[in-house]
Each structure stands twice: as C-alpha cells, then as structure tokens.
Amino acid sequence: MKVASVQVEIKDDETKAQRIHRVGSMLDELEGYDLLVLPEIWATGYFSFERYLEESEPIDGHFDETFSAKARALGTYLFAGSFVEKDGENLYNTSVMYDPQGHRIATYRKIHLFRYGSDEGKLLTRGDEVTVVDTKFGKVGLATCYDLRFPEQFRRQVDQGAELLLVTSAWPHRRLMHWNLFNQVRALENQCYLISSNCAGTTRGTFLGGHSQVVDPWGTVIASGGEQETIVKAEINLKQIQHIRETFPQLKHRVLT
C-alpha cells in the first residue's frame, strides 16, 4: 500500500483557515495513495495556546466536514491529525480518521497531556480510551505525540489486534533524539509498522522537530523527512507483519502482562 505523511510547517502569521486551505492543496497532490497522515493540532498550531478556546469546535464541525470531504474526493483513508475539540465545557486534543467514502471511522482523545513547558495539561481534558480501528488493510492504532513515551498504550493496542500504528505530533527539535528513538522502538517492540507525522517550522519561539517517519516492524526507518515542510512517501507491505511475528515470535514469549 502507498502511504504518505504530510509534514506541515507551522507559521505564526498564518490563520487557521489559511493553513487548512494550504494543507488541503498539499493533499490534492496525493491522489492514488491508500493512507495519508497529518500532524497534531496543525490547523491552530500546537503552541498557540491562546487560540485554543476561540478555535475549538465540535467533533462534527468545519474541520470534520472539510476532511471528510477530502478523504472522499481522494478515495483514501485519511488520518487528519488532531484539532481542539469542544464538548460541553471541556476541550480535548482529538484526532480523527476517515475512510475512502469520507465516513469518520475513528476518533481519539489524547490520553497523555504534555505539561513540560506546555499549557496543554492546563487547558485540555485528557481522554481515557485507547483507540484501534478496523480498516480494509488491517487494524490501526491511533496515538498522539507525548503518548510515544508510554509503551503500555501501544502494547494494549497490539493486544487489540493493531498491526499499524499512526502517530500525530508536534514534537520539538530539542528532543529530536527521543523522537527518533521512540518511533523506532514502538514499531520494533510491537512488531508493527509505525507512521508518524510531525510538525515543522518555528512557532511561538519553539523549533519543531519534523522528521516524520515510516518505520517497519524491525524498527528500520524506511522513509523520513528532514526539518522543512515536506511529504514523506513510502510503500509498505502489511503481509510482512504476520511473517515477522511467526518467525521471531517475541510477542508470544511475553511473561509479564
């Protein structure tokens, strides 16, 4: 299957509407791909905390309508990254996934909210449900940025049948070594493919890490972006997962569960 991770530059002088339009044009160049992945709170900008409340919207709002239509127009699965969802009095870091018919087939509210030099933990409510969704190419687990530091979340997804892990992110460049390590290790220890989409550029004084990746079940990076806005493209074969799990059955050898 053909996959692409869209690494979006976050520009402080760009409005949410402008960025949605620009990224939509980038997606239009990817007709024929089976799966497209976008970063974390990319439309507002993760570090634009003062805009969270004003730019929040319900799960079935404009963001949802826009990318439901985009998935349908391109005939692709689209993990549209996350946005600030408003539900009653609460705000969430919510990611959404659509099938090729434009149906919203999964939502995931970020469980591990970041608090180190970030207002996310103050402004948002954490989710409490791990998300695994069925697709025509297998079961897919969804995760967001800081979740990468918590291996138990991904192992639970594997126990629910996940073979492909998708990570939406706004990871800073100053911890790029950690980002690269976690991308590879989460794929390797769970014998899954992992596709991540990270933001790029400098926003609110924070240099974002980029380096969106496609990692195979051996932990090998088969495609990666640099520090600039780009589209990371790859072809993956999910049949390899079963072969690897059978020939090197580490998941069956677990003792502590």
Side-chain angles (χ1 to χ4, degrees):
M1 55 183 293
K2 295 175 64 178
V3 302
S5 174
V6 181
Q7 183 167 292
V8 179
E9 179 182 1
I10 308 302
K11 306 173 183 178
D12 287 342
D13 61 352
E14 191 173 41
T15 67
K16 179 180 178 179
Q18 288 172 333
R19 194 172 297 132
I20 286 176
H21 177 76
R22 181 168 63 83
V23 171
S25 297
M26 294 174 70
L27 293 175
D28 288 339
E29 301 175 7
L30 297 170
E31 188 172 357
Y33 278 75
D34 300 294
L35 172 64
L36 307 176
V37 183
L38 287 168
E40 178 185 20
I41 309 188
W42 59 269
T44 291
Y46 174 85
F47 287 94
S48 297
F49 302 117
E50 76 284 357
R51 293 166 56 179
Y52 274 23
L53 179 59
E54 177 186 355
E55 297 189 0
S56 64
E57 53 184 287
I59 191 64
D60 57 354
H62 177 68
F63 188 93
D64 178 73
E65 293 174 356
T66 299
F67 292 100
S68 168
K70 186 64 68 175
R72 184 170 60 251
L74 294 173
T76 187
Y77 282 93
L78 172 60
F79 183 42
S82 68
F83 70 101
V84 182
E85 177 200 358
K86 183 175 178 58
D87 184 4
E89 297 300 314
N90 294 326
L91 302 180
Y92 298 89
N93 184 340
T94 301
S95 56
V96 284
M97 186 166 179
Y98 305 93
D99 69 13
Q101 289 74 47
H103 300 129
R104 186 187 344 117
I105 58 172
T107 62
Y108 167 65
R109 288 172 169 173
K110 187 178 182 182
I111 293 174
H112 300 98
L113 300 180
F114 197 53
R115 293 174 171 82
Y116 181 75
S118 167
D119 289 342
E120 181 183 27
K122 300 176 184 177
L123 299 173
L124 305 186
T125 300
R126 78 172 189 89
D128 57 11
E129 294 185 7
V130 169
T131 298
V132 175
V133 59
D134 285 305
T135 70
K136 69 178 182 182
F137 45 78
K139 290 183 179 290
V140 178
L142 307 183
T144 304
C145 201
Y146 194 39
D147 289 335
L148 275 172
R149 292 184 180 270
F150 302 91
E152 55 272 24
Q153 177 170 337
F154 296 87
R155 185 51 54 90
R156 184 174 296 181
Q157 290 176 323
V158 169
D159 287 343
Q160 294 178 13
E163 296 179 319
L164 174 61
L165 305 171
L166 303 181
V167 182
T168 181
S169 192
W171 198 284
H173 190 276
R174 62 181 173 270
R175 290 185 290 277
L176 181 61
M177 181 187 71
H178 299 177
W179 166 259
N180 290 331
L181 177 64
F182 290 135
N183 271 259
Q184 292 180 258
V185 170
R186 296 295 162 257
L188 173 62
E189 68 190 0
N190 294 298
Q191 297 184 307
C192 291
Y193 276 98
L194 183 148
I195 304 172
S196 62
S197 180
N198 196 27
C199 295
T202 299
T203 175
R204 299 298 193 267
T206 297
F207 181 27
L208 296 164
H211 290 82
S212 303
Q213 298 178 23
V214 180
V215 187
D216 76 10
W218 287 117
T220 301
V221 178
I222 59 177
S224 178
E227 297 175 356
Q228 308 301 318
E229 181 170 277
T230 189
I231 299 175
V232 179
K233 303 175 181 178
E235 292 192 21
I236 64 176
N237 181 2
L238 295 181
K239 293 180 180 179
Q240 288 186 1
I241 297 170
Q242 191 61 34
H243 173 71
I244 290 171
R245 289 179 177 180
E246 289 176 354
T247 57
F248 196 88
Q250 68 184 43
L251 293 175
K252 295 180 180 179
H253 294 163
R254 293 160 58 194
V255 177
L256 298 177
T257 58

